[in-house]
């Protein structure tokens, strides 16, 4: 599957956005305040975003929940319906642009759109491309029992199981190794 630069950026953004949600009631929210949202926008080099406020933060948190639902959707039809609603509500307005040193690419948010509509339009369309390509199963949650972080499996054979093989994957492999050694020593 060919993934353009702007689609890849939108995928990275939506994964990071979903992963800002607290995993349980005791975990901190990665978007705890407007300053955290400003950092998120800056770190993801989102263009055409004005001054952010508390209403923006609330709207982005709602969009984040809707994106999390897409990653958890049981099938393509459900995911497609959720994406359609999200993108339509954002007032998607595709337009070609070449800004900040990037070649021509498509923005899906309307000029002057709120940060939530910006995320819904651009990230929603990136996820839509995966559904259209028959690749929705690449939108996953980590299989580690104590981790539910979202990720997009871009491996050639669709075999990635963990959000990060260096942390979750390694930790589980080491635990399995130790369990086998303990059982063998019996």
């Amino acid at each position: 599957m060919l993934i353009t630069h702007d689609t890849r950026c939108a995928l990275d953004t939506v994964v990071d956005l979903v992963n800002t949600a607290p995993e349980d009631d005791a975990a901190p929210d990665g978007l705890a305040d407007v300053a955290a949202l400003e950092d998120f926008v800056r770190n993801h080099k989102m263009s055409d975003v004005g001054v952010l406020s508390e209403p923006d933060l609330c709207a982005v948190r709602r969009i984040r929940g809707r994106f999390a639902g897409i990653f958890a959707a049981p099938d393509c039809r459900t995911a497609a319906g959720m994406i359609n609603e999200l993108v339509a509500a954002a007032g998607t307005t595709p337009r070609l642009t070449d800004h900040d040193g990037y070649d021509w690419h498509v923005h899906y948010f309307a000029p002057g759109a709120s940060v939530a509509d910006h995320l819904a339009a651009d990230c929603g369309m990136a996820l839509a491309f995966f559904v259209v390509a028959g690749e929705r199963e690449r939108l996953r949650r980590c299989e580690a029992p104590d981790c539910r972080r979202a990720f997009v499996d871009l491996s050639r054979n669709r075999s990635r199981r963990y959000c990060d093989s260096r942390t979750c994957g390694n930790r589980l492999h080491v635990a399995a190794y130790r369990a086998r050694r303990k059982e063998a020593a019996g």
Side-chain angles (χ1 to χ4, degrees):
M1 175 176 182
L2 175 66
I3 300 173
T4 63
H5 176 264
D6 50 319
T7 299
R8 179 61 192 257
C9 289
L11 289 171
D12 291 344
T13 299
V14 71
V15 165
D16 289 348
L17 178 64
V18 169
N19 289 336
T20 64
E23 291 187 32
D24 56 43
D25 293 337
D29 191 321
L31 292 178
D33 53 28
V34 174
L37 178 58
E38 289 168 343
D39 287 344
F40 183 88
V41 166
R42 185 175 34 262
N43 292 338
H44 289 87
K45 298 179 179 149
M46 293 174 62
S47 61
D48 297 331
V49 175
V51 176
L52 299 173
S53 64
E54 194 67 33
D56 289 315
L57 177 62
C58 293
V60 168
R61 285 178 178 161
R62 280 192 301 275
I63 293 295
R64 174 181 69 185
R66 295 180 74 184
F67 279 125
I70 293 166
F71 275 82
D75 54 51
C76 280
R77 183 164 305 284
T78 303
M82 296 168 86
I83 292 168
N84 283 340
E85 288 175 14
L86 193 63
V87 169
T92 305
T93 307
R95 63 190 165 92
L96 287 167
T97 184
D98 67 338
H99 61 86
D100 298 329
Y102 294 108
D103 204 359
W104 288 104
H105 60 281
V106 179
H107 280 188
Y108 294 95
F109 58 92
S114 71
V115 67
D117 285 346
H118 180 137
L119 287 164
D122 273 3
C123 296
M125 289 304 300
L127 297 178
F129 296 144
F130 272 73
V131 172
V132 169
E135 301 286 350
R136 190 200 63 85
E137 73 276 359
R138 290 182 182 267
L139 308 177
R140 298 192 176 162
R141 292 289 191 158
C142 184
E143 290 183 19
D146 58 343
C147 181
R148 296 301 300 149
R149 292 178 60 83
F151 67 93
V152 178
D153 179 4
L154 297 177
S155 67
R156 187 174 290 221
N157 62 356
R158 297 174 188 89
S159 63
R160 188 170 158 198
R161 297 174 47 209
Y162 306 111
C163 64
D164 185 347
S165 60
R166 292 188 189 129
T167 53
C168 288
N170 247 4
R171 193 169 30 85
L172 289 173
H173 289 112
V174 167
Y177 171 77
R178 287 181 179 158
R180 286 191 306 271
R181 295 278 313 253
K182 185 178 179 180
E183 185 177 308

